[in-house]
């Protein structure tokens, strides 16, 4: 590591530790969630300020790949915000080696069928039954793998969550494993090569909770244009997915707001329940917009998410947004191929290509001057 990188790391560590300085309480753990409710044994950590509101709201804040509950507790602003606004934060901790969340197995992608999503849903239920949390104000957010899980929870447990914010994820179901793999990495999706219609994605979401007739949580989707871990086209797939569920037109935002919620970001509003927010030049780590989250979750005035919208498959067509989806086709997604992907030629991986990771059989050498850089144990990339 060069001196510049070391200085960067040191300053970001300083930033992290400063986020937990001066809190009224500390990170605690619940260890008695039975395995029937938490079959994958995901860690259940929480932050409860010394003083919370009566029937407090809850934010479930989900860590990134290689992360932990502790890392997200110290590295995100939610504990400090909990002190200010009197809510409880639940920090699930991934049980998987790696440690990314399982967003690929049939179990985790099906309502009440098990997987990591089931355990997290039951942590939220525990907060309601044990701490008297307000069942109508359970929110969910996360970064990267935690952002993927946020989309999954919004799709699989729409009955539990009131609203969601997603920092650099993929559409719910996009990491679906063709061989049923638990916590499997999906390079096709990660590299932004999965493209489907709104109707297809909405059908996927409805299939994750068949017979559900209620509304779906309003959702904000953040992504950076310079994301080389989960490529930028993933934002469009997320937008198409939820536009399909809410009955909006993913191709025609009703409003496009420049430099919102921060300089360099463009917020596209597709209807009251869906916003796509693109950060120009921002990489995989989109900084968490704590104040914007507080607005979206209704703790602060000015931009609160509406009540749940759209409807489940059990009640016919979705009409709440008044828009139309861009296509009625439910054809399976297409994988777009580009010259830099597909069967490797010459045994040398190009810039941005995968060059390693568990199960990888392609080239492990990068074209000069790029270096094979591990994102996690499943995925290395020429950067
Ligand atoms: C990756 O996900 C897509 C759907 O998003 C799926 O079609 C494909 O089979 C998955 N790949 C693997 C290796 O599971």
């Amino acid at each position: 590591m060069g001196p510049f990188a070391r200085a960067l790391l040191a300053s970001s560590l300083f930033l992290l530790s400063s986020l937990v300085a001066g809190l009224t309480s500390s990170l605690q753990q619940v260890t008695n969630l039975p395995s029937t409710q938490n079959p994958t044994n995901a860690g259940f950590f929480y932050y409860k300020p010394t003083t919370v509101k009566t029937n407090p709201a809850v934010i479930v804040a989900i860590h990134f790949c290689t992360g932990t509950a502790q890392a997200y507790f110290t590295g995100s602003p939610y504990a400090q915000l909990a002190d200010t606004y009197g809510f409880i934060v639940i920090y699930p901790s991934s049980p998987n080696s790696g440690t990314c969340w399982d967003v690929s197995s049939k179990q985790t992608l099906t309502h009440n069928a098990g997987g990591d999503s089931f355990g997290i849903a039951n942590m939220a239920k525990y907060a309601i039954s044990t701490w008297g949390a307000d069942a109508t104000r359970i929110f969910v957010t996360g970064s990267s793998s935690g952002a993927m899980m946020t989309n999954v929870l919004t799709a699989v447990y729409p009955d539990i969550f009131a609203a969601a914010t997603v920092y650099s994820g993929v559409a719910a179901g996009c990491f679906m494993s063709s061989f049923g793999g638990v916590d499997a990495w999906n390079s096709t999706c990660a590299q932004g090569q999965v493209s489907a219609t709104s109707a297809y994605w909405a059908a996927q979401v409805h299939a994750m909770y068949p017979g559900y007739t209620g509304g779906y949580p309003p959702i904000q989707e953040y992504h950076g244009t310079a994301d080389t871990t989960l490529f930028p086209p993933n934002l469009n797939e997320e937008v198409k997915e939820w536009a399909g569920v809410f009955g909006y037109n993913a191709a025609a935002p009703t409003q496009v707001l420049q430099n919102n919620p921060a300089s360099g970001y463009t917020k596209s509003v597709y209807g009251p329940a869906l916003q796509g927010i693109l950060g120009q030049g921002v990489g995989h780590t989109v900084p968490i917009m704590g104040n914007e989250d507080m607005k979206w979750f209704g703790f602060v005035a000015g931009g609160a998410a509406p009540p749940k919208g759209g409807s489940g498959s059990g009640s016919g067509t979705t009409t709440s947004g008044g828009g139309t989806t861009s296509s009625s086709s439910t054809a399976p997604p297409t994988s777009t191929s580009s010259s830099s992907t597909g069967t490797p030629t010459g045994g040398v991986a190009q810039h941005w290509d995968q060059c390693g990771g568990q199960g990888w059989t392609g080239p492990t050498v990068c074209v000069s001057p790029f270096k094979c850089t591990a994102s996690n144990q499943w995925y290395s990339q020429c950067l």
Side-chain angles (χ1 to χ4, degrees):
M1 194 187 302
F4 180 66
R6 248 197 309 271
L8 255 184
L9 188 64
S11 66
S12 57
L13 285 177
F14 172 77
L15 192 69
L16 297 188
S17 51
S18 68
L19 283 174
V20 287
L23 292 177
T24 64
S25 186
S26 59
L27 192 66
Q28 306 289 324
Q29 186 176 12
V30 173
T31 54
N32 62 350
L33 206 58
S35 60
T36 48
Q37 292 173 32
N38 185 15
T40 66
N41 200 25
F44 180 0
F45 293 82
Y46 68 98
Y47 178 76
K48 191 175 181 188
T50 307
T51 309
V52 293
K53 295 265 161 66
T54 311
N55 301 125
V58 172
I59 294 182
V60 178
I62 311 177
H63 68 74
F64 42 89
C65 253
T66 76
T68 57
Q70 289 80 358
Y72 215 50
F73 167 66
T74 54
S76 70
Y78 299 111
Q80 290 227 315
L81 292 166
D83 273 353
T84 305
Y85 299 106
F87 58 83
I88 296 170
V89 190
I90 291 175
Y91 299 95
S93 213
S94 165
N96 306 305
S97 64
T99 61
C100 310
W101 292 99
D102 174 22
V103 288
S104 63
S105 73
K106 186 75 183 160
Q107 293 92 311
T108 208
L109 293 174
T110 307
H111 187 75
N112 283 351
D116 293 344
S117 66
F118 184 59
I120 297 175
N122 281 318
M123 293 175 200
K125 287 185 177 172
Y126 178 100
I128 297 163
S129 61
T130 308
W131 302 324
D134 182 349
T136 67
R137 292 201 305 146
I138 310 290
F139 305 105
V140 59
T141 185
S143 298
S144 187
S145 182
M148 297 185 199
M149 180 53 93
T150 300
N151 276 317
V152 166
L153 288 166
T154 304
V156 180
Y157 297 95
D159 51 332
I160 293 181
F161 299 99
T165 59
V166 174
Y167 291 96
S168 311
V170 302
C174 194
F175 254 50
M176 179 187 300
S177 169
S178 57
F179 49 91
V182 173
D183 180 30
W185 189 258
N186 187 310
S187 299
T188 318
C189 176
Q191 293 176 8
Q193 292 161 10
V194 173
S195 178
T197 61
S198 276
Y200 173 83
W201 283 126
Q204 294 295 301
V205 169
H206 291 146
M208 292 176 194
Y209 188 175
Y212 177 65
T213 56
Y216 282 81
I219 193 160
Q220 281 184 321
E221 304 278 358
Y222 288 86
H223 222 97
T225 62
D227 190 332
T228 57
T229 304
L230 303 175
F231 283 42
N234 281 299
L235 175 61
N236 201 28
E237 299 310 305
E238 292 167 316
V239 164
K240 282 191 279 180
E241 179 166 73
W242 295 109
V245 169
F246 294 124
Y248 303 153
N249 185 349
T254 57
Q255 260 185 303
V256 177
L257 306 166
Q258 303 296 341
N259 296 314
N260 186 317
S263 174
Y265 288 78
T266 303
K267 181 190 281 182
S268 299
V269 179
Y270 298 90
L274 175 62
Q275 299 180 355
I277 303 163
L278 187 62
Q280 195 61 43
V282 176
H284 185 51
T285 305
V286 173
I288 294 170
M289 310 270 175
N291 293 334
E292 175 75 5
D293 288 346
M294 292 302 99
K295 288 184 199 165
W296 186 243
F297 296 155
F299 294 102
V300 176
K308 293 181 197 181
S311 58
S313 53
S315 65
T317 53
T318 58
T319 53
S320 71
T324 53
T325 52
S326 53
S327 165
S328 61
S329 160
T330 52
T334 56
S335 295
T336 58
S337 57
S338 73
S339 59
S340 64
T341 59
T343 308
T345 50
V348 175
Q350 304 298 309
H351 191 198
W352 309 127
D353 276 4
Q354 184 169 4
C355 55
Q358 202 170 297
W360 176 245
T361 54
T364 54
V365 175
C366 296
V367 68
S368 178
F370 303 105
K371 293 211 158 45
C372 191
T373 310
S375 298
N376 54 52
Q377 73 181 102
W378 297 273
Y379 191 70
S380 300
Q381 199 181 10
C382 294
L383 298 175

